[in-house]
């Protein structure tokens, strides 16, 4: 009887022994779970963040020119930003961009498993850094307008893949003591200018892993000391002799995002701390994970499911899902396509108090469709603050677009220029600077920006379409999208400070900068309604009546005139042909106001809105102290 037969026939005393499941039974469960998780994340990103991904690529710029490459390489980590912006372009088609992102995450998991010898059955652990990388993307919110790191979505995945390759190569050199120490030094020297901080992370991991390899104490000490020396000295050498555009306090953190506006917002760095901690633990525990059979299949499966549940809940907790933020993005995308009806459809489906950016885009769409005087108050109004801890200015969110479409091309250009210098040049900035140059008749400047846009992957078609306006002013004037803008530019062109308060500056511009253009004067009347100033209203109201003889007066203008005529005796309104519904609505409003005079203003808004929410009366009396930004 051989030994295997003896073991088979040996009785088991006590409880029945747990039979391990063969490696072939469940070993592919963990990789399959990883693949399913990546596919699920990809679908969620495309479905939930389509507009956000579109905005990410609009606020991105990659040019296929040698000059652009050299401009990125003047700071440590430049290769990452060059690659990151290249891949970010693919978000023009969200599914394609997300596909690339998932491939990089999958490659990271594979390389990490090889570098740290993670058994196949425990590869689900490698979803942890992927979940943390996902959080750094989906928790951005309004940081998309302010983050200076270019190609943010792809920078960290690409860099961590490089880190894993370095660690894998270092581990493969085991037994070659001096070569290992030299590799730490040379790899940090080579990779620091390419991937910045992440090369220092790789050196740290190699220095830690040296203590997990079979080597003498001297060999371990030398490897660790070389790693520490490389981390401290190499960035200083590059700062001193190569990279002059990086401040000394930032040389150890290059290629990491900077979450700083007036102050550091440290909570956004937590995922990066956890990513570093994860890889440090992987290096420190190298060799402790073993392969082989699954001894307790049920417990092993439950452990996988529990880890996956924790990651899902964690990502869900930090996934930024602000209703108004996503509404703004959808409206901006409609505005970029000159889909004014699309903006109104979005404005009609509000489930929350809107931000002023939403209100301004709605008013712009009504103006472009000629419906502002009749429907301006038919949509929910408000001034809800942006749901973010950072100080958001409308000038960065939608101010450029608002200024341009209301004829303030120089203010649009100014903000594009200033933000380009501060946050880096982006495709959206170049497109608006092109538009500004065209309406200002600066064909040479427009040609310069169009030539740049032709070197992008997806904006070249837009540039080719706008080339037909260069040198052909008549084509621009005949274009339905540009013609109203040219009308609104018929006023004194003076550039001053708007104090970053877009809406207030715009309204004062239309009131205090007179123009002979009819379309401009119509906007002056709307500005007078916004300011709720009776003395400013009447001259604009009379001018509107002169400009539109024989045409019905829009309902909101009638409501304002009827209300102001009762509030002050300076103008006789008895001879004005008001619509009966205007008079009836005013009388009903005042009667209800008498009955509710002891209520708080907040309570009155709830009572009055169902019947009078679409009137100027409600706007005048119950909408106050709107927060402007």
């Amino acid at each position: 009887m051989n030994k295997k037969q003896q073991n088979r026939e040996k009785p088991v005393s006590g409880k029945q022994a747990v039979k391990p499941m063969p490696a072939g039974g469940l070993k592919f469960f963990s990789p399959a779970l990883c693949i399913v998780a990546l596919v699920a994340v990809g679908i969620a990103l495309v479905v939930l963040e389509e507009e956000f991904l579109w905005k990410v690529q609009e606020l991105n710029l990659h040019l296929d020119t040698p000059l652009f490459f050299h401009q990125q390489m003047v700071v440590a980590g430049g290769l990452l930003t060059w690659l990151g912006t290249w891949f970010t372009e693919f978000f023009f088609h969200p599914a394609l961009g997300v596909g690339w992102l998932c491939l990089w995450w999958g490659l990271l998991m594979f390389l990490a498993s090889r570098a740290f010898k993670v058994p196949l059955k425990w590869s689900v652990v490698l979803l942890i850094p992927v979940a943390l990388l996902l959080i750094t993307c989906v928790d951005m919110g309004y940081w998309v307008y302010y983050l200076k790191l270019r190609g943010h979505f792809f920078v960290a995945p690409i860099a961590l893949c490089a880190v894993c390759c370095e660690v894998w190569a270092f581990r493969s050199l085991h037994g070659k003591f001096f070569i290992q120490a030299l590799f730490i030094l040379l790899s940090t020297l080579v990779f620091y200018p390419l991937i910045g901080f992440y090369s220092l992370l790789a050196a740290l991991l190699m220095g830690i892993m040296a203590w997990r390899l079979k080597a003498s104490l001297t060999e371990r000490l030398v490897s660790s000391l070389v790693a520490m020396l490389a981390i401290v000295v190499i960035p200083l050498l590059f700062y001193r002799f190569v990279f002059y555009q990086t401040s000394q306090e930032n040389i150890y953190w290059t290629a990491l995002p900077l979450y700083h506006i007036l102050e550091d917002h440290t909570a956004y760095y937590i995922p990066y701390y956890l990513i570093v901690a994860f890889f440090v633990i992987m290096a420190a525990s190298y060799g402790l994970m073993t392969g082989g059979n699954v001894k307790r299949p049920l417990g092993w499966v439950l452990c996988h499911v529990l880890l996956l549940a924790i990651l899902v809940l964690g990502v869900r907790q930090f996934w930024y899902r602000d209703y108004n933020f996503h509404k703004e993005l959808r409206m901006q995308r409609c505005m970029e396509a000159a889909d004014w009806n699309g903006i109104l459809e979005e404005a009609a489906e509000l489930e929350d108090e809107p931000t002023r950016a939403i209100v301004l885009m709605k008013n712009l769409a009504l103006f472009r469709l000629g419906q502002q005087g009749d429907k301006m108050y038919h949509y929910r109004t408000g001034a809800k603050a942006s749901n973010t801890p950072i100080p958001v200015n409308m000038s960065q969110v939608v101010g450029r677009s608002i200024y341009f479409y209301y004829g303030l091309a120089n203010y649009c250009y100014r903000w594009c220029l200033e933000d380009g210098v501060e946050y880096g040049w982006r495709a959206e900035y170049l497109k608006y600077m092109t538009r500004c140059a065209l309406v200002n008749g600066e064909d040479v400047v427009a040609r310069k920006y169009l030539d740049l846009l032709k070197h992008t992957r997806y904006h070249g078609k837009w540039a080719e379409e706008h080339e037909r306006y260069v040198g052909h002013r008549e084509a621009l004037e005949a274009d339905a999208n540009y013609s109203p803008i040219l009308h609104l530019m018929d006023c004194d062109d003076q550039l001053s400070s708007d104090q970053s308060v877009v809406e207030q500056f715009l309204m004062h511009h239309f009131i205090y900068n007179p123009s002979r253009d009819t379309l401009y004067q119509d906007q002056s009347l709307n500005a007078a309604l916004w300011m709720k100033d009776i003395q400013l209203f009447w001259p604009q109201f009379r001018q509107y009546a002169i400009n539109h003889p024989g045409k019905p007066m829009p309902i909101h203008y009638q409501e304002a005139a009827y209300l102001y005529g009762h509030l002050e005796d300076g103008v006789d309104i008895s001879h004005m042909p008001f619509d009966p519904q205007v008079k009836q609505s005013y009388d009903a409003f005042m009667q209800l106001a008498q009955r509710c005079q002891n209520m708080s203003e907040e309570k009155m808004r709830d009572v009055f809105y169902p019947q009078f929410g679409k009137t100027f009366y409600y706007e005048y009396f119950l909408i106050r102290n709107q927060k402007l930004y």
Side-chain angles (χ1 to χ4, degrees):
M1 182 181 296
N2 59 35
K3 188 174 181 179
K4 186 178 291 186
Q5 289 173 327
Q6 290 176 352
N7 291 337
R8 190 183 301 121
E9 296 176 2
K10 186 177 180 179
V12 178
S13 61
K15 295 182 180 180
Q16 181 67 34
V18 177
K19 292 184 178 180
M21 179 165 285
L26 283 178
K27 71 175 184 178
F28 293 110
F29 176 80
S30 190
L33 200 60
C34 294
I35 295 172
V36 170
L38 286 178
V39 172
V41 167
I43 294 173
L45 279 172
V46 173
V47 173
L48 299 177
E49 301 292 352
E50 181 180 1
E51 288 77 19
F52 177 61
L53 296 175
W54 166 81
K55 193 64 177 181
V56 167
Q57 65 83 28
E58 284 289 302
L59 297 177
N60 176 70
L61 183 67
H62 181 94
L63 304 177
D64 59 358
T65 63
L67 178 60
F68 180 80
F69 176 78
H70 292 310
Q71 287 175 333
Q72 307 311 304
M73 299 304 294
V74 297
V75 295
L79 181 62
L80 289 178
T81 59
W82 186 83
L83 290 172
T85 54
W86 188 84
F87 282 105
T88 301
E89 285 188 300
F90 289 101
F91 284 134
F92 188 86
H93 302 292
L96 183 58
V98 169
W100 275 116
L101 189 59
C102 289
L103 285 175
W104 274 110
W105 286 339
L107 179 61
L108 172 60
M109 294 173 66
F110 169 76
L111 292 174
S113 70
R114 305 302 293 176
F116 300 101
K117 274 194 172 181
V118 179
L120 198 63
K121 67 177 183 179
W122 284 112
S123 55
V124 71
V125 173
L126 300 175
L127 281 174
I128 295 175
V130 171
L132 294 170
L133 289 172
L134 175 61
I135 289 175
T136 66
C137 298
V138 298
D139 75 338
M140 286 178 62
Y142 286 93
W143 278 108
V144 70
Y145 300 104
Y146 297 94
L147 208 59
K148 297 181 180 181
L149 179 64
R150 304 174 184 183
H152 168 76
F153 273 58
F154 290 93
V155 163
I158 295 173
L160 290 174
C161 284
V163 169
C164 291
C165 287
E166 287 188 68
V167 174
W168 189 2
F170 170 80
R171 181 178 61 76
S172 300
L173 294 172
H174 175 55
K176 303 174 182 178
F177 165 56
F178 290 108
I179 295 180
Q180 274 189 317
L182 185 62
F183 178 82
I184 295 175
L185 183 63
L186 292 180
S187 63
T188 308
L189 190 65
V190 170
F191 279 95
Y192 176 76
L194 303 178
I195 62 176
F197 160 80
Y198 295 95
S199 68
L200 308 182
L201 174 60
L204 175 64
L205 297 179
M206 289 185 284
I208 294 173
M209 185 175 282
W211 291 86
R212 299 298 307 168
L213 300 176
K214 292 180 180 180
S216 66
L217 179 61
T218 302
E219 292 173 341
R220 294 172 178 176
L221 284 173
V222 169
S223 294
S224 297
L225 289 174
V226 169
M228 295 303 298
L229 184 67
I231 291 172
V232 174
V233 175
I234 288 178
L236 289 173
L237 291 176
F238 274 97
Y239 170 73
R240 177 66 179 83
F241 297 105
V242 181
F243 297 128
Y244 304 104
Q245 298 190 24
T246 304
S247 59
Q248 187 171 356
E249 61 269 21
N250 291 327
I251 60 176
Y252 296 103
W253 318 113
T254 55
L256 287 176
L258 182 64
Y259 295 105
H260 180 89
I261 303 178
L262 302 180
E263 62 180 0
D264 284 328
H265 297 269
T266 55
Y268 290 93
Y269 293 109
I270 293 177
Y272 291 94
Y273 298 149
L274 295 177
I275 289 172
V276 171
F278 172 84
F279 283 102
V280 167
I281 292 172
M282 293 295 290
S285 62
Y286 172 77
L288 296 182
M289 286 189 179
T290 58
N293 298 337
V294 178
K295 295 183 179 180
R296 297 182 180 274
L298 180 59
W300 179 80
V301 170
L302 289 177
C303 186
H304 277 60
V305 173
L306 179 61
L307 176 59
L308 192 61
I310 292 173
L311 294 179
V312 170
L313 292 175
V315 170
R316 184 177 182 274
Q317 177 67 28
F318 292 100
W319 196 307
Y320 186 77
R321 293 295 300 163
D322 179 52
Y323 178 82
N324 279 335
F325 172 71
H326 289 82
K327 179 67 72 173
E328 289 173 3
L329 293 177
R330 287 192 290 273
M331 296 176 81
Q332 287 183 58
R333 193 169 187 181
C334 290
M335 184 161 48
E336 176 66 19
D339 181 9
W340 309 112
N341 284 307
I343 291 179
L344 295 184
E345 290 173 4
E346 294 293 340
E349 298 174 354
L350 291 175
E351 299 174 2
D352 193 7
E353 179 188 351
T355 60
R356 292 309 297 175
I358 292 175
V359 175
L360 254 68
M361 285 187 278
K362 175 263 298 180
N363 287 341
L364 172 62
L366 288 171
F367 155 60
R368 295 301 296 258
L369 294 173
Q371 302 172 5
Q372 196 166 0
D374 287 310
K375 295 183 178 180
M376 185 162 47
Y377 304 120
H378 285 206
Y379 299 84
R380 187 171 181 178
T381 189
K384 188 171 183 178
S386 301
N387 181 25
T388 178
I390 64 177
V392 172
N393 286 325
M394 192 186 296
S395 54
Q396 272 80 37
V397 177
V398 72
R400 292 177 291 272
S401 308
I402 293 296
Y403 277 145
F404 177 74
Y405 283 108
Y406 277 113
L408 292 175
N410 286 337
Y411 284 89
C412 172
Y413 190 92
R414 170 211 164 185
W415 277 112
C416 288
L417 189 63
E418 290 189 9
D419 288 346
V421 172
E422 179 69 17
Y423 304 109
W425 296 107
R426 302 169 177 185
E428 180 178 280
Y429 299 171
L430 293 182
K431 287 199 283 188
Y432 272 106
M433 293 171 84
T434 301
R435 293 177 174 120
C436 292
L438 288 172
V439 297
N440 281 330
E442 300 166 340
D443 291 340
V444 175
V445 178
R447 172 68 68 185
K448 178 180 69 173
Y449 297 132
L450 290 171
D451 288 343
L452 285 174
L453 288 167
K454 286 181 181 179
H455 287 283
T456 63
R457 181 178 302 276
Y458 292 110
H459 301 292
K461 183 179 179 181
W462 184 95
E464 292 172 359
E465 291 173 351
H466 280 72
E467 272 188 316
R468 62 191 176 97
Y469 301 123
V470 178
H472 298 280
R473 186 72 174 182
E474 69 283 358
L476 197 69
E477 293 174 349
D479 188 277
N481 195 34
Y482 285 98
S483 178
I485 298 168
L486 297 174
H487 279 277
L488 295 180
M489 294 176 66
D490 183 27
C491 65
D492 291 338
D493 189 5
Q494 298 178 352
L495 188 63
S496 61
S497 174
D498 60 0
Q499 301 297 317
S500 299
V501 185
V502 174
E503 185 176 8
Q504 182 176 349
F505 180 82
L506 188 64
M507 296 300 105
H508 281 79
H509 164 77
F510 282 119
I511 285 292
Y512 297 113
N513 291 279
S515 170
R516 293 170 296 179
D517 187 88
T518 300
L519 202 60
Y520 186 101
Q521 291 170 353
D522 292 352
Q523 286 309 301
S524 298
L525 176 55
N526 285 298
L529 261 67
W530 182 89
M531 299 177 74
K532 300 180 182 178
D533 188 311
I534 298 177
Q535 302 307 317
L536 292 174
F537 169 78
W538 286 117
Q540 306 300 335
F541 181 76
R542 295 190 189 97
Q543 189 62 51
Y544 185 92
I546 293 172
N547 291 339
H548 302 276
K551 294 184 179 179
M553 180 68 69
I555 199 72
H556 294 319
Y557 304 158
Q558 292 190 51
E559 290 170 345
Y562 197 71
L563 172 63
Y564 290 158
H566 283 82
L567 293 179
E568 291 191 2
D569 298 329
V571 176
D572 181 14
I573 62 171
S574 60
H575 64 284
M576 295 184 183
F578 293 102
D579 291 354
Q581 69 181 81
V582 173
K583 299 179 180 180
Q584 294 170 6
S585 180
Y586 173 82
D587 292 339
F589 185 95
M590 291 305 172
Q591 290 172 9
L592 183 58
Q594 287 293 327
R595 296 196 299 269
C596 300
Q597 58 184 343
N598 294 325
M599 288 185 181
S600 66
E601 192 170 287
E602 184 177 355
K603 180 64 176 176
M604 290 178 68
R605 281 198 290 269
D606 294 335
V607 173
F608 278 72
Y609 187 80
Q611 186 176 356
F612 303 103
K614 297 180 179 180
T615 67
F616 177 72
Y617 313 131
Y618 182 89
E619 175 77 14
Y620 183 83
F621 287 108
L622 297 175
I623 301 297
R624 303 172 183 272
N625 302 320
Q626 301 269 4
K627 178 178 173 55
L628 305 178
Y629 61 98

